[in-house]
Amino acid sequence: MTAFSRRPAPEARPATSAGSRHSLRVLAADLWQSVTALGRSMALAALLCALAFAPTGWRELLAGALLGVSMLLLGLLMSLGNLSCSAETSLDQGRLEVGGQAELVLVLTNPSSRSTRRGRVGLTIGQGTALAPLPALAPGQSHQIRLKLKARSRGVIDLGPVTMEAGDPLGLIRRRRILTNARKLYIHPRTVALPPLQAGLERDLEGDPGPGIVDDDLEFHALRPYAPGDDIKRVHWLSTARAGTLMVRQYEPTVRTRTELILDGQADSYRNADEFELAVEIFASLGCRCLLDGRRLQALAPEPDDPHAWTTLPSQDPRSFLDACSAISPRQDSYSKPDLGDASERTSLTILVTGSLGERQTSALIDRSAQDTFPVMLLAADLDAHPSLQTQPGLVSAVLGSLRDLPIFLENQS
């Protein structure tokens, strides 16, 4: 948030003819910028009437010219006044989810020693502008405006700038002053709470400690009493001597959890925009679950400006990941297969999210031979379809009719 301070007074300088001409040009430019399109049309009509009066002598044309000039001068006088306000905006929620609401508080303060004039405040919200009346403010006085914002669709929108304007009732003259710069407002896709992912957990000596307890691994966890069937090799003899009963070791599983999450961003893979939004919601929910599980995640979405490039979404935390998901948009052209190979670190699970028409794109995104190296999960978003599941070696395919089907599908995979 930035506040617009009062402009500093110009430095005194000798009155020269060149300086006077420059000042007149600046003043004329400022006046011309404050004239609206309607006002410029009025000025042009008054000029044409004046030019036509000279050869014809018609008094009606002279009256029209004088009327136009009088209305412009009156509008200019009505727009004069102090517009030196500072503005601060604050949101009770820095980010919204689709369907969510937030309250925007706009505080306007008069920092000058003169009272401000009445006017109205404009706040740009995406492609629209919200307008509110602003009363005259005494020096140091503040005025608060509250606005309700509702996130109707996913995206990244510009919130601001905040402007203050004054003019005549006819709209011939509009003086406008920018009070704050624009800021980004992220509207995240809807997400659903998911159980921890169990697919793609590989026992690996070079992996990371994972959830749960196992009988044999590298990461020591605790000791427990001996139970029939336990391997005698896991008995901890020093603790057994101290406790007077057999004690065996328990370990944390050391697993590899590098997950590749891919969103099919081609518009031809989806029946409509709502189906694409469902795919983005599935993609975002899975990505957040992977990050909450502590998995190493590589989330890929097509680059909108380059048909042969893929964007790797931020995976430091769920918030930055969802911020990037807010800006995903479908693309009309085709794209090349992403590079899934990584010589330094092998993928343990690949998840592809596509649409109901995306089967023909599957081969372009994931090579069939990749299934022999790591498991692949193919999730197709198909609005209002009955959920279904098919499994084959190395590949799990599911059709999801709504976001509520995703937790049920993951529970069946555990």
Side-chain angles (χ1 to χ4, degrees):
M1 297 179 291
T2 59
F4 189 94
S5 59
R6 185 173 53 179
R7 293 178 180 175
E11 297 180 359
R13 55 185 176 182
T16 62
S17 59
S20 299
R21 288 195 298 268
H22 177 72
S23 300
L24 289 176
R25 285 197 300 267
V26 172
L27 179 60
D30 290 341
L31 290 176
W32 183 248
Q33 289 180 358
S34 64
V35 180
T36 64
L38 180 60
R40 295 180 184 184
S41 300
M42 178 67 71
L44 180 60
L47 178 60
L48 292 177
C49 288
L51 294 176
F53 170 73
T56 62
W58 291 357
R59 295 182 178 179
E60 293 83 355
L61 294 175
L62 178 61
L66 294 176
L67 178 62
V69 173
S70 300
M71 293 179 65
L72 288 172
L73 291 176
L74 181 60
L76 181 61
L77 291 174
M78 295 181 67
S79 66
L80 295 178
N82 182 22
L83 297 180
S84 298
C85 276
S86 63
E88 293 184 356
T89 58
S90 62
L91 273 173
D92 58 351
Q93 299 181 47
R95 290 162 172 82
L96 295 177
E97 189 177 271
V98 173
Q101 292 185 352
E103 185 179 54
L104 174 68
V105 180
L106 176 61
V107 179
L108 299 115
T109 306
N110 178 14
S112 66
S113 58
R114 295 183 300 136
S115 297
T116 63
R117 60 152 297 151
R118 295 177 59 186
R120 62 179 185 175
V121 177
L123 173 64
T124 302
I125 305 175
Q127 301 298 322
T129 302
L131 299 174
L134 179 65
L137 300 178
Q141 185 180 3
S142 297
H143 179 71
Q144 190 177 91
I145 299 176
R146 294 179 178 270
L147 297 174
K148 292 289 186 180
L149 302 180
K150 184 173 182 179
R152 300 185 182 277
S153 61
R154 178 182 57 84
V156 181
I157 64 175
D158 290 326
L159 191 61
V162 178
T163 60
M164 181 179 178
E165 62 181 36
D168 64 292
L170 297 179
L172 301 178
I173 305 294
R174 278 287 181 270
R175 289 180 58 216
R176 179 175 297 178
R177 193 164 191 177
I178 297 177
L179 305 182
T180 66
N181 295 324
R183 55 182 290 189
K184 297 295 185 183
L185 176 62
Y186 294 93
I187 302 179
H188 294 167
R190 293 186 182 93
T191 56
V192 64
L194 300 176
L197 293 177
Q198 300 299 326
L201 296 181
E202 295 184 0
R203 297 286 295 279
D204 195 318
L205 299 182
E206 297 180 357
D208 297 326
I213 302 299
V214 295
D215 292 336
D216 188 16
D217 215 304
L218 291 181
E219 291 290 332
F220 175 76
H221 174 66
L223 296 171
R224 64 169 176 81
Y226 176 86
D230 288 338
D231 189 348
I232 196 66
K233 296 179 181 179
R234 294 192 297 108
V235 173
H236 192 266
W237 295 108
L238 182 59
S239 298
T240 296
R242 293 176 179 176
T245 183
L246 288 176
M247 303 293 293
V248 296
R249 301 179 181 89
Q250 289 181 305
Y251 299 86
E252 293 179 349
T254 306
V255 294
R256 181 186 297 273
T257 59
R258 184 175 186 271
T259 303
E260 198 98 38
L261 181 60
I262 306 172
L263 175 66
D264 180 1
Q266 186 166 351
D268 291 344
S269 298
Y270 304 89
R271 287 197 179 97
N272 49 46
D274 291 337
E275 188 172 282
F276 178 76
E277 289 302 314
L278 174 59
V280 174
E281 292 170 358
I282 295 172
F283 177 82
S285 299
L286 289 169
C288 289
R289 183 67 260 178
C290 289
L291 295 176
L292 292 175
D293 288 344
R295 289 179 174 237
R296 289 189 293 274
L297 175 67
Q298 184 177 14
L300 299 176
E303 173 65 44
D305 300 327
D306 189 347
H308 302 292
W310 290 77
T311 298
T312 301
L313 275 58
S315 57
Q316 294 84 6
D317 55 80
R319 171 174 288 188
S320 60
F321 172 73
L322 289 175
D323 285 349
C325 289
S326 300
I328 295 175
S329 59
R331 198 171 57 194
Q332 301 299 327
D333 54 358
S334 60
Y335 43 75
S336 59
K337 183 180 68 175
D339 184 11
L340 301 180
D342 191 340
S344 62
E345 189 175 15
R346 189 167 62 89
T347 299
S348 60
L349 173 66
T350 293
I351 305 175
L352 171 63
V353 183
T354 184
S356 58
L357 306 179
E359 290 185 2
R360 58 177 176 268
Q361 290 297 115
T362 304
S363 59
L365 293 172
I366 299 180
D367 196 333
R368 184 76 177 180
S369 61
Q371 299 172 22
D372 300 332
T373 307
F374 50 82
V376 174
M377 189 179 294
L378 176 62
L379 305 180
D382 190 354
L383 275 175
D384 301 325
H386 184 72
S388 62
L389 175 65
Q390 295 181 353
T391 60
Q392 52 182 296
L395 176 65
V396 177
S397 301
V399 175
L400 305 177
S402 69
L403 190 59
R404 297 187 300 271
D405 297 334
L406 184 58
I408 301 175
F409 164 73
L410 294 180
E411 289 175 357
N412 293 333
Q413 296 301 305
S414 61

